[in-house]
């Protein structure tokens, strides 16, 4: 079970953070990879490392998930190199305006966050859903899996730091995932979301290392710690697996219990 040999997995936001970690998780179970991000030099370094370590094919592709032409070019390269795509893991994202109260929040920060965290998910799901369904119908692949990265902040509010646009965009990703799952359910494609809790990434390290937030996590996360590197990988592998064919429209929190209390 969960053998990805011969399967192709694309990961957005693969140049750092959770995207990079999850890409290695998929490589460890035999998947050939497509690494997508804007920083191509990082992708090329990761591609070399992963292919040498796990013996899989790795295609690094520069892709801006807010640019539809860039996404189309990435899918063209996937088609040229592999001719099929079983899984796409959409982890690219970011935010502006964190720390700013709702009553003072700037429209430009709202628009930036929505475009990067929600509109990009719409575009990637649209493109991947079309590509996968055509390949399944043509008999070029057996199934498709779309996994969207939301957040625990897409499931609940928080009292630690105001981040209203992030809450809104990630909450929308959760329900977008349900809608997309319902539409694609008869096409052999599942659509699910992962809602990570507090993990170290380039975007979060500075905040998580503060004394205030460390204490907040101890008080609010039942496991009283942040997520360790690699602890998201098993959820990604499960949701992307061929065997998970009856799991769709779900939002799986990987958060040390944060959302259970």
């Amino acid at each position: 079970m969960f053998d990805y040999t011969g399967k192709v997995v694309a990961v957005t936001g693969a140049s750092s953070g959770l995207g990079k970690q999850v890409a290695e998780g998929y490589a460890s179970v035999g998947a050939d990879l497509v690494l997508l991000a804007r920083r191509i030099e990082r992708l090329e370094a990761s591609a070399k490392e992963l292919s040498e370590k796990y013996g899989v094919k790795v295609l690094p592709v520069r892709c801006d998930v807010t640019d539809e032409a860039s996404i189309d070019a990435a899918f063209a390269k996937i088609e040229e190199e592999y001719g099929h795509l079983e899984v796409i893991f959409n982890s690219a994202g970011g935010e502006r305006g964190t720390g700013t109260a709702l009553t003072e929040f700037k429209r430009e920060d709202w628009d930036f966050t929505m475009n990067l965290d929600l509109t990009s998910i719409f575009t990637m799901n649209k493109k991947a859903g079309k590509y996968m369904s055509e390949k399944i119908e043509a008999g070029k692949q057996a199934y498709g899996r779309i996994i969207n990265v939301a957040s625990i902040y897409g499931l609940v509010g928080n009292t630690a730091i105001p981040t209203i646009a992030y809450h809104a965009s990630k909450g929308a990703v959760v329900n977008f995932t349900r809608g997309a799952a319902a539409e694609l359910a008869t096409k052999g494609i599942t659509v699910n979301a992962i809602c990570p809790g507090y993990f170290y990434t380039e975007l979060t390290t500075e905040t998580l290392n503060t004394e205030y937030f460390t204490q907040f996590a101890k008080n609010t996360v039942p496991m009283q710690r942040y997520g360790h590197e690699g602890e998201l990988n098993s959820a990604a592998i499960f949701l992307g697996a061929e065997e998970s064919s009856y799991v769709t429209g779900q939002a799986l929190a990987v958060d040390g219990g944060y959302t259970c209390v």
Side-chain angles (χ1 to χ4, degrees), residues 183-198:
E183 286 200 33
L184 296 174
T186 60
K187 297 182 181 295
I189 301 169
T190 66
V191 189
N192 291 286
I194 288 181
C195 299
Y198 300 122

Side-chain angles (χ1 to χ4, degrees), residues 72-115:
D72 286 337
F75 272 93
K77 290 184 178 179
I78 293 170
E79 173 63 16
E80 180 182 356
E81 181 70 21
Y82 296 115
H84 58 103
L85 177 67
E86 279 74 19
V87 182
I88 187 163
F89 187 89
N90 293 309
S91 69
E95 60 190 293
R96 283 184 184 169
T98 293
T100 304
L102 165 62
T103 53
E104 304 299 326
F105 207 86
K106 296 179 181 178
R107 175 61 185 267
E108 56 264 35
D109 292 338
W110 173 272
D111 290 343
F112 174 90
T113 304
M114 289 296 170
N115 190 39

